[in-house]
Amino acid sequence: MRVMGVDPGLTRCGLGAVEGRPGAPLTLVKVGVVRTPADEEIGARLVAIETGIERWLDEIEPDAVAVERVFAQHNLRTVMGTAQASAVAILCASRRGLPVALHTPSEVKAAITGSGTAGKQQVGAMVTRLLRLDAMPKPADAADALALAICHVWRGGAQNRLAEAAARARSGPGTTAAAYFRGRGRAAGHPRGTTQ
């Protein structure tokens, strides 16, 4: 299954997509960030994030989207911006009928490193190792988005099966051959690891 992870943020919204299944090696599809200027009006920033996410969804064609669950922080302004960017990601995926999963940072850390209290460096190092990359994805928001996607592939369980069923239903009886060859193209080697 192909999962797109979103590490929400107003200044940098991390995006990353992986393909695979539990117990098998994972493949990087794409990683990058959508950036918005801190001095721009909030509405314009949210529109820019939406545009970036929509572009990724068009290109990646994920089976599911995993978004970091917003949790309370000391800085209310930061958490509000994160929540707004998170809502945009959820809206974009839901508008297309894609399953959306929310994972807490500690769930993601535990899935990737075995410890729910791991630091960003540890998460980034494990993402690099799991995806067999030459270098750690930067900025950290991009690595976190990949970690979210990996976490969902490994822990999605019933959500994964529902997403696969939905993907089959979307392909419809008239496009089964097209879906088959699209899948074969992915298996043969989708363009890897481009960064925006």
Side-chain angles (χ1 to χ4, degrees), residues 52-64:
I53 290 173
E54 289 287 357
R55 189 178 304 122
W56 271 63
L57 290 170
D58 285 340
E59 180 181 342
I60 301 303
E61 297 182 349
D63 300 307

Side-chain angles (χ1 to χ4, degrees), residues 115-128:
S115 169
T117 59
K120 282 191 176 290
Q121 185 69 23
Q122 288 173 281
V123 172
M126 279 305 294
V127 165
T128 304

Side-chain angles (χ1 to χ4, degrees), residues 43-74:
R45 297 178 80 183
L46 293 174
V47 167
I49 290 170
E50 179 193 28
T51 302
I53 290 173
E54 289 287 357
R55 189 178 304 122
W56 271 63
L57 290 170
D58 285 340
E59 180 181 342
I60 301 303
E61 297 182 349
D63 300 307
V65 175
V67 182
E68 183 177 280
R69 184 183 296 275
V70 178
F71 64 100
Q73 295 175 332
H74 297 298

Side-chain angles (χ1 to χ4, degrees), residues 84-153:
Q84 289 163 336
S86 175
V88 169
I90 294 167
L91 173 67
C92 290
S94 298
R95 192 161 46 205
R96 293 169 182 247
L98 293 171
V100 178
L102 301 176
H103 298 286
T104 66
S106 58
E107 286 172 349
V108 175
K109 290 173 184 178
I112 301 300
T113 70
S115 169
T117 59
K120 282 191 176 290
Q121 185 69 23
Q122 288 173 281
V123 172
M126 279 305 294
V127 165
T128 304
R129 183 175 168 192
L130 291 168
L131 295 176
R132 303 171 306 282
L133 306 178
D134 295 331
M136 190 182 302
K138 292 183 179 179
D141 313 81
D144 288 347
L146 288 173
L148 277 154
I150 294 168
C151 173
H152 188 67
V153 169

Side-chain angles (χ1 to χ4, degrees), residues 2 61 167 171 175-187 190:
R2 181 172 289 194
E61 297 182 349
S171 67
T175 57
T176 305
Y180 171 79
F181 286 110
R182 186 172 67 239
R184 295 271 298 184
R186 287 181 182 176
H190 190 280

